[in-house]
């Protein structure tokens, strides 16, 4: 009987999955679709504007803006992997995703998500150097190091997404398989498998956990030092200015690491799908949309550049 079961499993290879998304009222599905589409448009426009402003203004050709530009490119890619497909799933009930599309969605989502965590760590280190070692800033954050850090972030993303996708899709899936999510996320796909997923869960916890905890530590230690340095500044004005920049960054970072930690870095991450679906909206669609606003709206240089270019345009 065991042999027969094995034979059946091998011969009912799953070619597609059904994305369940949110089990809810059709009216709410339409609302979700509109919401996702709107957030996607804002994400692309906001981040594209960010890239354009940085490219056009030579004053903004500094390490901080080099990282911001890369973050914007990353956020457009990151959001494009998930949001358009999710909006279609909600509006047209196109819930079916092929096995290969599911694997590639997971691969790229994991790549960009991991890279984003490393980017946030790199950006925190950049701010730490600027505020705590201002005299050595130009020497430390040279062009070569900046490019190396961006490449290193993507390389780390590549390693993680290869491990996650490889491990998840080595599981067997039998019969028509529902994925209780609006995209092919690692815990949700793992949950849909009919194999024993213990090893996978341990690998996910170990790899994702160490990445999330490692990058978050760099971020929070950097900001810890930044806050100490700010507190010791002599003038109230310079303290206020430095705090306003850091507080918005800290908000973005806490949102990202908080939600990602909840999803991937704690035992039983695969056990509560409905709660995790809601939370993953935060880091898949909301955070990429907010990043350009958080990093620029409280930023005098970008505002100045915007005014200058809009004035040129109106001439």
């Amino acid at each position: 009987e065991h042999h027969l079961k094995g034979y059946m499993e091998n011969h009912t290879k799953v070619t597609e999955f059904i994305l369940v998304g949110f089990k809810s009222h059709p009216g709410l599905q339409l609302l979700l679709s509109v919401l996702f589409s709107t957030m996607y448009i804002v994400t692309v426009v906001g981040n594209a504007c960010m890239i354009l402003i940085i490219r056009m203004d030579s004053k903004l050709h500094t390490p901080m803006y080099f990282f911001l530009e890369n973050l914007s490119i990353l956020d457009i890619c990151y959001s494009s992997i998930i949001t358009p497909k999710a909006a279609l799933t909600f509006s047209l009930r196109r819930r079916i995703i092929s096995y290969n599309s599911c694997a590639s969605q997971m691969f790229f989502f994991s790549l960009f998500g991991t890279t984003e965590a490393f980017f946030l760590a790199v950006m925190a280190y950049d701010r730490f150097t600027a505020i705590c070692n201002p005299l050595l800033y130009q020497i430390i954050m040279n062009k070569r190091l900046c490019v190396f850090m961006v490449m290193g972030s993507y390389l780390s993303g590549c390693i993680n997404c290869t491990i996650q996708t490889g491990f998840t899709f080595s599981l067997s899936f039998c019969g028509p398989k529902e994925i209780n999510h609006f995209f092919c996320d690692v815990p949700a796909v793992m949950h849909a498998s009919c194999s024993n997923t213990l090893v996978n869960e341990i690998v996910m916890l170990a790899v994702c956990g160490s990445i999330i905890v490692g990058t978050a530590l760099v971020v929070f230690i950097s900001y810890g030092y930044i806050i100490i340095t700010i507190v010791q500044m002599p003038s109230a004005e310079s303290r206020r200015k430095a705090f306003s920049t850091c507080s918005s960054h800290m908000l973005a970072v806490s949102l990202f690491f908080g939600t990602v930690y909840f999803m991937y870095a704690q035992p039983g991450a695969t056990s509560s799908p409905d709660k995790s679906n809601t939370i993953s909206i935060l880091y898949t669609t909301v955070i990429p949309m907010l990043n350009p606003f958080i990093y620029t709206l409280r930023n005098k240089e970008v505002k100045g550049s915007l005014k200058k270019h809009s004035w040129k345009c109106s001439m």
Side-chain angles (χ1 to χ4, degrees), residues 229-239:
T229 308
I230 292 172
V231 170
Q232 292 168 346
M233 283 176 177
S235 80
E237 178 54 31
S238 54
R239 277 203 299 270

Side-chain angles (χ1 to χ4, degrees), residues 14-30:
V14 170
T15 52
E16 55 192 28
F17 296 103
I18 300 152
L19 290 169
V20 176
F22 292 94
K23 294 193 176 83
S24 61
H25 193 268
L28 187 66
Q29 296 284 342
L30 195 64

Side-chain angles (χ1 to χ4, degrees), residues 47-91:
N47 283 292
C49 286
M50 191 69 219
I51 296 163
L52 276 174
I53 292 166
I54 293 169
R55 287 270 163 97
M56 283 159 69
D57 195 334
S58 57
K59 267 209 213 105
L60 303 181
H61 294 176
T62 63
M64 175 176 144
Y65 291 104
F66 173 69
F67 295 133
L68 267 178
E69 184 186 347
N70 276 286
L71 182 72
S72 287
I73 295 167
L74 184 72
D75 279 336
I76 291 174
C77 298
Y78 184 54
S79 194
S80 301
I81 299 294
I82 306 296
T83 319
K85 171 72 185 157
L88 279 177
T89 302
F90 294 133
S91 61

Side-chain angles (χ1 to χ4, degrees), residues 205-229:
L205 255 176
V207 180
C208 292
S210 54
I211 288 170
I212 294 160
V213 172
T215 48
L217 269 177
V218 171
V219 169
F220 290 115
I221 290 170
S222 298
Y223 278 111
Y225 275 110
I226 288 170
I227 289 164
I228 292 166
T229 308

Side-chain angles (χ1 to χ4, degrees), residues 52-300:
L52 276 174
I53 292 166
I54 293 169
R55 287 270 163 97
M56 283 159 69
D57 195 334
S58 57
K59 267 209 213 105
L60 303 181
H61 294 176
T62 63
M64 175 176 144
Y65 291 104
F66 173 69
F67 295 133
L68 267 178
E69 184 186 347
N70 276 286
L71 182 72
S72 287
I73 295 167
L74 184 72
D75 279 336
I76 291 174
C77 298
Y78 184 54
S79 194
S80 301
I81 299 294
I82 306 296
T83 319
K85 171 72 185 157
L88 279 177
T89 302
F90 294 133
S91 61
L92 304 176
R93 301 291 173 118
R94 284 223 179 118
R95 300 193 173 283
I96 288 171
I97 185 167
S98 74
Y99 185 87
N100 291 345
S101 301
C102 188
S104 59
Q105 191 184 45
M106 180 186 291
F107 181 87
F108 286 110
F109 173 69
S110 194
L111 166 67
F112 297 133
T114 310
T115 307
E116 175 122 4
F118 279 94
F119 268 12
L120 292 175
V122 164
M123 287 164 72
Y125 175 73
D126 170 68
R127 291 298 79 212
F128 160 74
T129 314
I131 292 173
C132 303
N133 284 323
L135 299 176
L136 293 173
Y137 180 69
Q138 299 294 341
I139 301 162
I140 298 172
M141 298 304 286
N142 56 51
K143 188 82 198 206
R144 220 177 79 198
L145 181 70
C146 293
V147 172
F148 174 75
M149 283 171 146
V150 168
M151 303 293 278
S153 299
Y154 273 105
L155 183 66
S156 312
C158 273
I159 295 167
N160 185 36
C161 69
T162 308
I163 295 171
Q164 299 301 340
T165 313
F167 265 89
T168 306
F169 282 89
S170 64
L171 295 167
S172 27
F173 300 92
C174 355
K177 266 302 158 195
E178 287 198 344
I179 293 172
N180 193 351
H181 213 319
F182 57 89
F183 71 101
C184 287
D185 197 11
V186 178
V189 176
M190 223 189 268
H191 208 63
S193 154
C194 47
S195 327
N196 181 356
T197 59
L198 182 66
V199 175
N200 290 63
E201 291 194 43
I202 292 168
V203 168
M204 186 177 83
L205 255 176
V207 180
C208 292
S210 54
I211 288 170
I212 294 160
V213 172
T215 48
L217 269 177
V218 171
V219 169
F220 290 115
I221 290 170
S222 298
Y223 278 111
Y225 275 110
I226 288 170
I227 289 164
I228 292 166
T229 308
I230 292 172
V231 170
Q232 292 168 346
M233 283 176 177
S235 80
E237 178 54 31
S238 54
R239 277 203 299 270
R240 198 191 57 75
K241 204 178 113 185
F243 257 125
S244 81
T245 319
C246 292
S247 59
S248 52
H249 290 199
M250 281 301 276
L251 175 71
V253 162
S254 307
L255 259 178
F256 179 83
F257 284 108
T259 50
V260 169
Y261 174 81
F262 179 87
M263 287 296 298
Y264 307 101
Q266 52 164 349
T270 52
S271 58
S272 57
D274 292 328
K275 203 159 49 172
S276 59
N277 287 3
T278 314
I279 283 183
S280 53
I281 292 179
L282 270 174
Y283 65 90
T284 54
T285 50
V286 178
I287 291 172
M289 175 180 78
L290 290 181
N291 274 345
F293 300 103
I294 287 174
Y295 287 106
T296 58
L297 286 185
R298 306 180 83 163
N299 192 315
K300 276 193 186 131

